[in-house]
Amino acid sequence: MTQIERYIFRIALGAFLTCLIGLTGTIWVTQALRELDLVTAKGQTLLVFLFITALSLPTLITVIAPVALFIACVYALNKLNGDSELIVMSAAGMPPRQLLRPFATLAFAVSAVVAFLTIQVMPSSFQELRDVLTRVRGDFVANVVKEGQFTSLDNGITFHFRERGADGSLQGLFIQDKREAGKAVVYLAERGRVADVDGQTYLVLEKGSIHRQQKDSRDSSIVSYERYAVDLAAFTPPDSETIYKPRERSTLALLFPDTGEGYYRLQKGRFRAELHDRLSAWLYPLALAFIAFAALGDPRTTRQGRGMAVAGAVLGVVGLRIAGFAASSAAVRSPGAVAAIYGAPLGAIALSCFIIFGGARVRAMNEGLGRFGRRLAGALRRRPLAGRA
Protein backbone atom coordinates (compact mmCIF):
# COMPACT_ATOMS: atom_id res chain seq x y z
CA MET A 1 0.00 0.00 0.00
CA THR A 2 1.05 3.57 -0.58
CA GLN A 3 1.60 5.99 2.27
CA ILE A 4 -1.90 7.44 2.05
CA GLU A 5 -3.40 3.94 1.93
CA ARG A 6 -1.45 2.95 5.03
CA TYR A 7 -2.75 6.10 6.72
CA ILE A 8 -6.35 5.12 5.93
CA PHE A 9 -5.67 1.53 6.99
CA ARG A 10 -4.37 2.65 10.41
CA ILE A 11 -7.47 4.75 11.03
CA ALA A 12 -9.80 1.88 10.12
CA LEU A 13 -7.76 -0.70 12.05
CA GLY A 14 -7.69 1.40 15.22
CA ALA A 15 -11.43 1.95 15.07
CA PHE A 16 -12.04 -1.75 14.41
CA LEU A 17 -9.93 -2.94 17.36
CA THR A 18 -11.56 -0.39 19.67
CA CYS A 19 -15.07 -1.49 18.66
CA LEU A 20 -14.19 -5.19 18.79
CA ILE A 21 -12.62 -5.05 22.26
CA GLY A 22 -15.31 -2.77 23.66
CA LEU A 23 -18.30 -4.71 22.34
CA THR A 24 -16.79 -8.13 23.09
CA GLY A 25 -15.85 -7.11 26.62
CA THR A 26 -19.30 -5.68 27.34
CA ILE A 27 -21.18 -8.71 26.05
CA TRP A 28 -18.73 -11.12 27.69
CA VAL A 29 -19.36 -9.51 31.08
CA THR A 30 -23.12 -9.93 30.66
CA GLN A 31 -22.59 -13.59 29.72
CA ALA A 32 -20.22 -14.12 32.65
CA LEU A 33 -22.75 -12.73 35.13
CA ARG A 34 -25.18 -15.45 34.03
CA GLU A 35 -22.64 -18.10 35.03
CA LEU A 36 -21.99 -16.75 38.54
CA ASP A 37 -24.23 -19.54 39.79
CA LEU A 38 -21.31 -21.89 39.18
CA VAL A 39 -19.37 -20.22 41.98
CA THR A 40 -22.14 -19.15 44.35
CA ALA A 41 -24.53 -22.10 44.21
CA LYS A 42 -22.65 -24.99 42.62
CA GLY A 43 -19.48 -24.68 44.65
CA GLN A 44 -17.08 -24.43 41.71
CA THR A 45 -13.77 -22.59 41.79
CA LEU A 46 -13.08 -19.21 40.19
CA LEU A 47 -10.81 -20.90 37.63
CA VAL A 48 -13.66 -23.12 36.44
CA PHE A 49 -15.90 -20.07 36.18
CA LEU A 50 -13.33 -18.13 34.12
CA PHE A 51 -12.63 -21.14 31.92
CA ILE A 52 -16.30 -21.69 31.10
CA THR A 53 -16.95 -18.03 30.34
CA ALA A 54 -13.77 -17.81 28.22
CA LEU A 55 -15.05 -20.64 26.02
CA SER A 56 -17.77 -18.27 24.76
CA LEU A 57 -15.24 -15.73 23.43
CA PRO A 58 -14.74 -17.34 19.96
CA THR A 59 -18.49 -17.23 19.35
CA LEU A 60 -18.72 -13.61 20.49
CA ILE A 61 -15.81 -12.56 18.26
CA THR A 62 -17.25 -14.20 15.15
CA VAL A 63 -20.59 -12.44 15.71
CA ILE A 64 -19.18 -9.06 16.71
CA ALA A 65 -16.21 -8.81 14.29
CA PRO A 66 -18.29 -8.06 11.13
CA VAL A 67 -20.33 -5.44 12.99
CA ALA A 68 -17.18 -3.88 14.46
CA LEU A 69 -15.66 -3.76 10.96
CA PHE A 70 -18.76 -2.02 9.59
CA ILE A 71 -18.66 0.58 12.38
CA ALA A 72 -14.93 1.10 11.80
CA CYS A 73 -15.43 1.69 8.06
CA VAL A 74 -18.24 4.15 8.69
CA TYR A 75 -16.14 5.99 11.27
CA ALA A 76 -13.04 6.14 9.05
CA LEU A 77 -14.94 7.37 6.00
CA ASN A 78 -16.80 10.00 8.02
CA LYS A 79 -13.55 11.17 9.59
CA LEU A 80 -11.81 11.43 6.21
CA ASN A 81 -14.73 13.33 4.75
CA GLY A 82 -15.12 15.59 7.79
CA ASP A 83 -11.47 16.58 7.52
CA SER A 84 -11.99 17.23 3.76
CA GLU A 85 -9.41 14.55 2.98
CA LEU A 86 -11.78 12.59 0.74
CA ILE A 87 -12.45 15.72 -1.29
CA VAL A 88 -8.73 16.39 -1.71
CA MET A 89 -8.06 12.76 -2.70
CA SER A 90 -10.85 12.86 -5.27
CA ALA A 91 -9.70 16.21 -6.65
CA ALA A 92 -6.16 14.82 -6.96
CA GLY A 93 -7.49 12.03 -9.17
CA MET A 94 -7.40 9.15 -6.69
CA PRO A 95 -9.61 6.39 -8.17
CA PRO A 96 -12.20 4.57 -6.04
CA ARG A 97 -10.30 1.27 -6.22
CA GLN A 98 -7.25 2.87 -4.59
CA LEU A 99 -9.36 4.35 -1.79
CA LEU A 100 -11.11 1.01 -1.35
CA ARG A 101 -7.85 -0.96 -1.09
CA PRO A 102 -7.08 -0.34 2.65
CA PHE A 103 -10.67 -1.13 3.64
CA ALA A 104 -10.65 -4.29 1.50
CA THR A 105 -7.32 -5.36 3.01
CA LEU A 106 -8.71 -5.01 6.53
CA ALA A 107 -11.91 -6.81 5.50
CA PHE A 108 -9.98 -9.77 4.06
CA ALA A 109 -7.87 -10.00 7.24
CA VAL A 110 -11.01 -10.02 9.42
CA SER A 111 -12.61 -12.60 7.10
CA ALA A 112 -9.58 -14.88 7.51
CA VAL A 113 -9.81 -14.67 11.30
CA VAL A 114 -13.58 -15.27 11.24
CA ALA A 115 -13.11 -18.28 8.94
CA PHE A 116 -10.50 -19.82 11.26
CA LEU A 117 -12.62 -19.27 14.36
CA THR A 118 -15.82 -20.53 12.74
CA ILE A 119 -14.39 -23.62 11.06
CA GLN A 120 -11.83 -24.72 13.64
CA VAL A 121 -12.09 -23.00 17.03
CA MET A 122 -15.83 -22.60 17.63
CA PRO A 123 -16.77 -26.31 17.33
CA SER A 124 -13.97 -27.24 19.73
CA SER A 125 -15.04 -24.57 22.24
CA PHE A 126 -18.68 -25.68 22.08
CA GLN A 127 -17.68 -29.29 22.61
CA GLU A 128 -15.38 -28.45 25.51
CA LEU A 129 -18.09 -26.28 27.06
CA ARG A 130 -20.55 -29.16 26.83
CA ASP A 131 -18.08 -31.54 28.51
CA VAL A 132 -17.23 -29.10 31.31
CA LEU A 133 -20.88 -28.33 32.07
CA THR A 134 -21.63 -32.05 32.09
CA ARG A 135 -18.89 -32.61 34.66
CA VAL A 136 -20.08 -29.67 36.75
CA ARG A 137 -23.68 -30.86 36.74
CA GLY A 138 -22.44 -34.36 37.59
CA ASP A 139 -20.87 -33.09 40.82
CA PHE A 140 -23.20 -34.81 43.28
CA VAL A 141 -22.40 -32.84 46.42
CA ALA A 142 -22.29 -29.44 44.68
CA ASN A 143 -25.40 -29.73 42.54
CA VAL A 144 -27.74 -32.48 43.70
CA VAL A 145 -28.03 -32.30 47.47
CA LYS A 146 -29.41 -29.19 49.17
CA GLU A 147 -28.62 -27.93 52.62
CA GLY A 148 -31.19 -28.98 55.23
CA GLN A 149 -33.22 -31.15 52.80
CA PHE A 150 -33.63 -34.89 52.41
CA THR A 151 -32.72 -35.66 48.80
CA SER A 152 -34.00 -38.97 47.40
CA LEU A 153 -32.26 -40.34 44.32
CA ASP A 154 -33.71 -42.74 41.77
CA ASN A 155 -31.23 -45.50 42.70
CA GLY A 156 -32.57 -45.78 46.28
CA ILE A 157 -30.23 -43.45 48.17
CA THR A 158 -31.40 -40.68 50.51
CA PHE A 159 -28.91 -37.95 51.41
CA HIS A 160 -29.16 -35.19 54.01
CA PHE A 161 -26.78 -32.76 55.71
CA ARG A 162 -27.60 -30.07 58.22
CA GLU A 163 -25.37 -27.26 56.97
CA ARG A 164 -22.23 -26.48 55.06
CA GLY A 165 -19.26 -25.33 57.12
CA ALA A 166 -17.06 -22.34 56.42
CA ASP A 167 -14.32 -24.66 55.14
CA GLY A 168 -16.71 -26.38 52.72
CA SER A 169 -17.29 -29.44 54.89
CA LEU A 170 -20.75 -30.95 55.38
CA GLN A 171 -22.08 -30.93 58.97
CA GLY A 172 -24.61 -33.42 60.37
CA LEU A 173 -24.66 -36.09 57.66
CA PHE A 174 -27.33 -38.73 57.11
CA ILE A 175 -27.12 -41.22 54.21
CA GLN A 176 -29.55 -44.10 53.71
CA ASP A 177 -28.69 -46.75 51.11
CA LYS A 178 -31.62 -49.03 50.08
CA ARG A 179 -30.40 -50.04 46.63
CA GLU A 180 -30.67 -53.72 47.54
CA ALA A 181 -34.22 -54.87 48.23
CA GLY A 182 -34.83 -55.77 51.88
CA LYS A 183 -31.45 -54.44 53.01
CA ALA A 184 -30.74 -50.97 54.37
CA VAL A 185 -27.53 -49.23 55.35
CA VAL A 186 -27.55 -45.91 57.19
CA TYR A 187 -24.46 -43.72 57.55
CA LEU A 188 -24.38 -41.08 60.30
CA ALA A 189 -21.50 -38.63 60.72
CA GLU A 190 -20.76 -35.38 62.49
CA ARG A 191 -19.01 -34.01 59.40
CA GLY A 192 -17.83 -35.01 55.97
CA ARG A 193 -15.68 -33.66 53.16
CA VAL A 194 -15.11 -34.52 49.50
CA ALA A 195 -11.70 -35.89 48.51
CA ASP A 196 -10.26 -37.00 45.16
CA VAL A 197 -7.96 -40.02 45.19
CA ASP A 198 -6.50 -41.42 41.95
CA GLY A 199 -9.32 -39.98 39.87
CA GLN A 200 -12.04 -41.33 42.19
CA THR A 201 -14.23 -39.03 44.29
CA TYR A 202 -14.92 -40.06 47.88
CA LEU A 203 -16.94 -38.60 50.71
CA VAL A 204 -14.81 -38.93 53.84
CA LEU A 205 -17.05 -39.23 56.93
CA GLU A 206 -15.71 -38.37 60.41
CA LYS A 207 -16.94 -39.43 63.88
CA GLY A 208 -20.07 -41.41 63.12
CA SER A 209 -21.64 -44.83 62.88
CA ILE A 210 -22.96 -47.29 60.30
CA HIS A 211 -26.31 -49.07 60.87
CA ARG A 212 -26.81 -52.18 58.77
CA GLN A 213 -30.07 -54.10 58.55
CA GLN A 214 -29.80 -57.49 56.89
CA LYS A 215 -32.38 -58.92 54.56
CA ASP A 216 -35.38 -60.60 56.24
CA SER A 217 -34.20 -59.45 59.67
CA ARG A 218 -35.43 -56.80 62.06
CA ASP A 219 -32.09 -56.60 63.87
CA SER A 220 -29.36 -54.21 62.82
CA SER A 221 -25.66 -54.01 63.47
CA ILE A 222 -24.00 -50.77 64.51
CA VAL A 223 -20.37 -49.96 63.77
CA SER A 224 -18.77 -46.81 65.12
CA TYR A 225 -15.85 -45.18 63.29
CA GLU A 226 -13.56 -42.20 63.47
CA ARG A 227 -13.15 -41.97 59.69
CA TYR A 228 -14.89 -43.76 56.84
CA ALA A 229 -14.79 -43.20 53.05
CA VAL A 230 -17.82 -43.61 50.79
CA ASP A 231 -17.44 -43.81 47.00
CA LEU A 232 -19.61 -41.05 45.48
CA ALA A 233 -19.70 -42.85 42.14
CA ALA A 234 -22.42 -45.04 43.60
CA PHE A 235 -24.61 -41.96 44.18
CA THR A 236 -24.69 -40.79 40.58
CA PRO A 237 -26.42 -42.60 37.70
CA PRO A 238 -24.16 -44.19 35.09
CA ASP A 239 -23.05 -41.85 32.34
CA SER A 240 -24.95 -42.16 29.11
CA GLU A 241 -23.35 -41.69 25.72
CA THR A 242 -22.92 -38.02 24.91
CA ILE A 243 -24.60 -36.95 21.67
CA TYR A 244 -23.14 -33.73 20.36
CA LYS A 245 -25.29 -31.21 18.57
CA PRO A 246 -24.37 -30.06 15.04
CA ARG A 247 -22.71 -26.87 16.29
CA GLU A 248 -20.57 -28.94 18.70
CA ARG A 249 -19.19 -31.19 15.98
CA SER A 250 -16.06 -30.53 13.96
CA THR A 251 -16.34 -29.24 10.42
CA LEU A 252 -14.83 -32.50 9.16
CA ALA A 253 -17.58 -34.43 10.96
CA LEU A 254 -20.19 -32.25 9.23
CA LEU A 255 -18.57 -32.75 5.82
CA PHE A 256 -18.45 -36.52 6.26
CA PRO A 257 -21.20 -37.42 8.76
CA ASP A 258 -22.07 -40.89 9.95
CA THR A 259 -25.18 -41.45 7.85
CA GLY A 260 -26.13 -44.47 9.95
CA GLU A 261 -26.43 -42.45 13.16
CA GLY A 262 -30.00 -42.07 14.36
CA TYR A 263 -29.49 -38.47 15.54
CA TYR A 264 -28.11 -37.50 12.12
CA ARG A 265 -31.11 -38.99 10.34
CA LEU A 266 -33.45 -37.00 12.59
CA GLN A 267 -31.51 -33.73 12.30
CA LYS A 268 -30.07 -33.99 8.79
CA GLY A 269 -31.30 -30.51 7.86
CA ARG A 270 -29.62 -28.91 10.86
CA PHE A 271 -26.34 -30.61 10.01
CA ARG A 272 -26.59 -29.22 6.46
CA ALA A 273 -27.46 -25.68 7.61
CA GLU A 274 -24.70 -25.63 10.24
CA LEU A 275 -22.04 -26.72 7.72
CA HIS A 276 -22.91 -24.06 5.15
CA ASP A 277 -23.29 -21.37 7.83
CA ARG A 278 -19.69 -22.05 8.83
CA LEU A 279 -18.42 -22.04 5.27
CA SER A 280 -20.18 -18.77 4.44
CA ALA A 281 -19.42 -16.85 7.66
CA TRP A 282 -16.21 -15.34 6.27
CA LEU A 283 -18.17 -13.56 3.50
CA TYR A 284 -20.03 -11.28 5.90
CA PRO A 285 -17.09 -9.07 6.96
CA LEU A 286 -16.41 -8.42 3.26
CA ALA A 287 -20.07 -7.69 2.57
CA LEU A 288 -20.43 -5.25 5.47
CA ALA A 289 -17.22 -3.40 4.58
CA PHE A 290 -18.30 -3.04 0.93
CA ILE A 291 -21.76 -1.82 1.98
CA ALA A 292 -20.19 0.86 4.18
CA PHE A 293 -17.88 2.00 1.39
CA ALA A 294 -20.65 2.01 -1.22
CA ALA A 295 -22.74 4.29 1.01
CA LEU A 296 -20.03 6.64 2.28
CA GLY A 297 -17.11 6.37 -0.11
CA ASP A 298 -18.11 9.40 -2.22
CA PRO A 299 -16.62 12.74 -1.10
CA ARG A 300 -19.16 15.32 0.02
CA THR A 301 -18.90 18.88 1.23
CA THR A 302 -19.73 19.82 4.78
CA ARG A 303 -23.03 21.28 3.54
CA GLN A 304 -24.10 17.89 2.24
CA GLY A 305 -25.44 15.66 4.98
CA ARG A 306 -24.33 12.04 5.29
CA GLY A 307 -27.04 10.93 7.69
CA MET A 308 -29.19 9.40 4.99
CA ALA A 309 -26.18 7.51 3.61
CA VAL A 310 -25.37 6.09 7.07
CA ALA A 311 -29.02 5.14 7.62
CA GLY A 312 -29.12 3.44 4.21
CA ALA A 313 -25.96 1.46 5.06
CA VAL A 314 -27.42 0.36 8.41
CA LEU A 315 -30.66 -0.75 6.73
CA GLY A 316 -28.63 -2.65 4.16
CA VAL A 317 -26.69 -4.48 6.89
CA VAL A 318 -29.89 -5.33 8.79
CA GLY A 319 -31.52 -6.58 5.60
CA LEU A 320 -28.47 -8.71 4.80
CA ARG A 321 -28.43 -10.35 8.23
CA ILE A 322 -32.16 -11.04 8.08
CA ALA A 323 -31.71 -12.59 4.64
CA GLY A 324 -28.86 -14.72 5.97
CA PHE A 325 -30.88 -16.00 8.93
CA ALA A 326 -33.87 -16.71 6.69
CA ALA A 327 -31.67 -18.64 4.24
CA SER A 328 -30.16 -20.67 7.07
CA SER A 329 -33.61 -21.55 8.43
CA ALA A 330 -34.82 -22.48 4.96
CA ALA A 331 -31.76 -24.71 4.44
CA VAL A 332 -32.87 -26.84 7.39
CA ARG A 333 -36.01 -27.76 5.47
CA SER A 334 -34.81 -27.68 1.86
CA PRO A 335 -31.38 -28.46 0.32
CA GLY A 336 -32.12 -25.99 -2.47
CA ALA A 337 -31.97 -23.09 -0.01
CA VAL A 338 -28.25 -23.68 0.52
CA ALA A 339 -27.53 -21.45 -2.49
CA ALA A 340 -29.26 -18.56 -0.69
CA ILE A 341 -26.85 -18.88 2.26
CA TYR A 342 -23.99 -17.92 -0.06
CA GLY A 343 -26.14 -15.77 -2.34
CA ALA A 344 -27.06 -13.24 0.36
CA PRO A 345 -23.50 -12.00 1.15
CA LEU A 346 -22.23 -12.48 -2.41
CA GLY A 347 -25.18 -10.50 -3.76
CA ALA A 348 -24.48 -7.68 -1.29
CA ILE A 349 -20.82 -7.59 -2.36
CA ALA A 350 -21.74 -7.56 -6.07
CA LEU A 351 -24.31 -4.78 -5.62
CA SER A 352 -21.87 -2.71 -3.55
CA CYS A 353 -19.14 -3.12 -6.19
CA PHE A 354 -21.57 -2.00 -8.88
CA ILE A 355 -22.43 1.11 -6.87
CA ILE A 356 -18.77 1.85 -6.13
CA PHE A 357 -17.26 1.32 -9.59
CA GLY A 358 -20.36 1.76 -11.75
CA GLY A 359 -21.27 4.93 -9.93
CA ALA A 360 -17.80 6.30 -10.53
CA ARG A 361 -18.12 5.66 -14.25
CA VAL A 362 -21.55 7.28 -14.33
CA ARG A 363 -20.22 10.33 -12.48
CA ALA A 364 -17.25 10.56 -14.84
CA MET A 365 -19.59 10.29 -17.83
CA ASN A 366 -21.88 12.98 -16.43
CA GLU A 367 -18.92 15.25 -15.78
CA GLY A 368 -17.68 14.67 -19.34
CA LEU A 369 -21.09 15.41 -20.77
CA GLY A 370 -21.32 18.51 -18.63
CA ARG A 371 -17.97 19.80 -19.88
CA PHE A 372 -18.95 19.03 -23.47
CA GLY A 373 -22.25 20.85 -23.01
CA ARG A 374 -20.57 23.91 -21.55
CA ARG A 375 -18.07 24.05 -24.41
CA LEU A 376 -20.84 23.64 -26.99
CA ALA A 377 -22.88 26.41 -25.40
CA GLY A 378 -19.87 28.70 -25.38
CA ALA A 379 -19.16 27.99 -29.04
CA LEU A 380 -22.77 28.74 -29.99
CA ARG A 381 -22.68 32.03 -28.13
CA ARG A 382 -19.47 33.10 -29.90
CA ARG A 383 -20.60 32.23 -33.49
CA PRO A 384 -23.25 35.02 -33.92
CA LEU A 385 -20.78 37.61 -32.72
CA ALA A 386 -18.23 36.47 -35.33
CA GLY A 387 -20.94 36.72 -38.13
CA ARG A 388 -21.88 40.30 -37.19
CA ALA A 389 -18.24 41.32 -37.23
Side-chain angles (χ1 to χ4, degrees):
M1 292 186 289
T2 62
Q3 184 175 1
I4 193 168
E5 290 172 350
R6 291 195 298 271
Y7 167 72
I8 297 173
F9 180 81
R10 286 195 299 270
I11 294 175
L13 178 62
F16 167 72
L17 292 178
T18 302
C19 291
L20 180 65
I21 295 173
L23 292 175
T24 303
T26 302
I27 298 177
W28 180 79
V29 168
T30 61
Q31 296 291 324
L33 292 176
R34 295 170 54 186
E35 301 295 342
L36 274 178
D37 185 57
L38 289 171
V39 177
T40 57
K42 297 189 182 338
Q44 300 300 314
T45 64
L46 182 62
L47 290 178
V48 174
F49 165 74
L50 293 176
F51 179 68
I52 289 178
T53 53
L55 288 174
S56 63
L57 284 177
T59 306
L60 292 178
I61 292 175
T62 55
V63 173
I64 294 172
V67 179
L69 177 62
F70 172 76
I71 295 174
C73 291
V74 171
Y75 166 79
L77 290 169
N78 271 330
K79 182 180 185 303
L80 292 172
N81 189 81
D83 296 339
S84 300
E85 292 171 320
L86 278 183
I87 298 174
V88 174
M89 294 175 194
S90 177
M94 187 174 183
R97 63 178 179 274
Q98 188 175 359
L99 182 60
L100 176 62
R101 189 180 302 166
F103 296 101
T105 302
L106 179 60
F108 275 107
V110 174
S111 294
V113 174
V114 169
F116 174 72
L117 291 177
T118 305
I119 294 175
Q120 181 63 36
V121 179
M122 272 181 52
S124 300
S125 66
F126 277 132
Q127 192 173 121
E128 182 65 23
L129 181 61
R130 172 79 172 272
D131 294 340
V132 172
L133 290 179
T134 299
R135 291 195 297 269
V136 169
R137 294 189 181 111
D139 189 341
F140 172 77
V141 173
N143 300 295
V144 179
V145 297
K146 303 298 180 183
E147 182 177 320
Q149 298 181 8
F150 286 87
T151 304
S152 298
L153 307 180
D154 294 337
N155 53 1
I157 293 178
T158 302
F159 196 100
H160 169 82
F161 70 97
R162 184 178 66 251
E163 61 183 355
R164 192 183 296 270
D167 57 353
S169 62
L170 307 180
Q171 307 292 328
L173 279 162
F174 169 88
I175 305 173
Q176 184 183 55
D177 184 357
K178 300 181 69 175
R179 288 174 292 174
E180 185 177 344
K183 181 180 179 180
V185 180
V186 176
Y187 301 87
L188 300 176
E190 291 185 9
R191 70 180 64 87
R193 58 183 177 83
V194 179
D196 292 329
V197 180
D198 297 331
Q200 298 288 333
T201 304
Y202 295 92
L203 180 62
V204 181
L205 307 178
E206 299 177 359
K207 295 183 180 181
S209 59
I210 302 175
H211 301 250
R212 299 181 186 271
Q213 182 180 4
Q214 299 299 326
K215 188 176 182 179
D216 300 328
S217 175
R218 299 182 61 181
D219 298 329
S220 62
S221 60
I222 302 176
V223 179
S224 298
Y225 60 84
E226 286 294 321
R227 180 171 296 179
Y228 188 85
V230 179
D231 187 1
L232 285 179
F235 294 179
T236 57
D239 294 334
S240 58
E241 182 182 359
T242 303
I243 300 178
Y244 293 108
K245 299 178 181 179
R247 71 172 188 173
E248 298 167 348
R249 305 199 180 198
S250 66
T251 304
L252 190 62
L254 295 180
L255 283 170
F256 306 101
D258 181 8
T259 56
E261 183 185 3
Y263 181 71
Y264 172 76
R265 291 196 297 267
L266 290 174
Q267 303 289 340
K268 187 175 181 179
R270 295 191 179 278
F271 276 76
R272 178 176 56 246
E274 175 65 24
L275 172 63
H276 293 288
D277 277 343
R278 292 185 192 178
L279 297 180
S280 64
W282 68 276
L283 294 172
Y284 283 93
L286 289 173
L288 267 61
F290 275 79
I291 289 174
F293 192 88
L296 299 167
D298 290 336
R300 300 185 185 184
T301 64
T302 55
R303 293 172 181 259
Q304 294 174 306
R306 296 168 69 86
M308 292 300 296
V310 174
V314 172
L315 289 177
V317 169
V318 173
L320 173 61
R321 294 308 301 172
I322 292 175
F325 290 137
S328 179
S329 299
V332 175
R333 301 183 297 272
S334 172
V338 169
I341 295 180
Y342 300 94
L346 289 175
I349 294 173
L351 180 59
S352 299
C353 288
F354 174 77
I355 295 173
I356 295 169
F357 300 109
R361 293 191 183 95
V362 170
R363 287 191 300 272
M365 185 181 299
N366 289 336
E367 290 175 1
L369 290 175
R371 287 193 297 269
F372 176 76
R374 287 191 296 271
R375 290 175 183 174
L376 181 60
L380 291 175
R381 284 196 301 268
R382 288 194 298 271
R383 180 171 296 178
L385 294 175
R388 285 195 298 271

